[in-house]
Amino acid sequence: MDIGGTSDPYVKLYVLPNKSKTFETKVFRKTLNPTFNEQFKFQVLQAELNESTLVMQVYDFNRFSKHDIMGELRLQLSAVDWNHVIEEWKDLNEASKFEQENLGDICFSLRYVPTASKLTVVILEAKNLKKMDTGGFSDPFVKVQLILDKKKWKKKKTSVKKKTLNPYFNESFTFDVSFDQIQKVQVVISVWDHDKISKNDAIGKIYLGCDATGNQLRHWADMLSNPRRPVAQWHSLLSTEQVDSTLALKHSVKIPFTNKTF
């Protein structure tokens, strides 16, 4: 897939139709014959096996553009003999183009300065966003939210870009995050469609942190291993439901007290 005649392959795995969790292998640099040897565990009820399909998609990693899908394999779990371990070769097929709606891609940079305890997120641009308005456009803006101990901690947002699916932001946000907190914090990047009349609609989101996976974890690790240097990367947006279920945030409940003396 690359100009030099090689690729930087990794594999993305999920189970349909629920797709509640997505796993990714490590990226292997400049090879057409990667050996992964990685294990992943999905929780699937026995009653759901007949309707479930394991999808394994091979991608070519690219830090500065959308990752190219090289092919995929779909395994009907109803056809699996669960009394034996399966180990066999199968040819990759062309990836399905109609299975999942494309929500778009977003590019941003991360920079952490340990001596100053500063985390800087620069929202650069987005492209191919989902059409949310009747005219075939969206009015996108981006929220940057920090999660600590499964609770919403800090947040900021960009300006709104009118009637575009390929907005350019180049807006920078800096947060005070100690070295201890950077090991536990999660950064949630979400793209929204602004609506003056009704509630703003979420287009998609991703999250990064030490407990993230795949490209998000790689981006986070690159930031930590290169202190004081901005590290930029493109990411494909995931559904809000998928990210929220993974984060499983704790919600605080405010109890109103009326005419009470304490």
Side-chain angles (χ1 to χ4, degrees), residues 160-209:
V160 176
K161 303 299 179 181
K162 297 289 187 180
K163 295 183 178 180
T164 178
L165 302 179
N166 302 282
Y168 181 77
F169 296 99
N170 196 25
E171 298 183 35
S172 178
F173 306 100
T174 299
F175 302 89
D176 292 320
V177 183
S178 70
F179 186 74
D180 178 61
Q181 291 168 334
I182 202 68
Q183 311 296 324
K184 300 179 290 184
V185 75
Q186 295 161 321
V187 178
V188 180
I189 310 288
S190 56
V191 182
W192 296 75
D193 176 42
H194 177 71
D195 198 314
K196 289 183 178 180
I197 301 174
S198 61
K199 185 178 179 182
N200 296 332
D201 297 315
I203 297 176
K205 64 172 62 174
I206 61 166
Y207 84 95
L208 303 92

Side-chain angles (χ1 to χ4, degrees), residues 212-253:
T213 60
N215 294 321
Q216 290 90 322
L217 178 59
R218 282 188 285 273
H219 194 176
W220 191 256
D222 285 348
M223 175 198 72
L224 293 177
S225 59
N226 295 278
R228 295 177 294 279
R229 195 188 83 184
V231 181
Q233 187 171 314
W234 281 94
H235 294 269
S236 295
L237 293 171
L238 303 174
S239 70
T240 299
E241 294 77 16
Q242 182 177 343
V243 174
D244 288 349
S245 64
T246 302
L247 292 174
L249 299 181
K250 297 176 183 176
H251 297 282
S252 58
V253 179

Side-chain angles (χ1 to χ4, degrees), residues 2 14 50 53 59 126 162 206:
D2 297 337
Y14 54 88
N50 288 339
T53 301
Y59 283 84
K162 297 289 187 180
I206 61 166

Side-chain angles (χ1 to χ4, degrees), residues 8-11 24-28 34 36 38 40 214 218:
D8 300 324
Y10 69 94
V11 181
E24 293 179 8
T25 68
K26 298 176 182 177
V27 174
F28 280 76
F36 297 101
E38 297 181 45
F40 303 97
R218 282 188 285 273

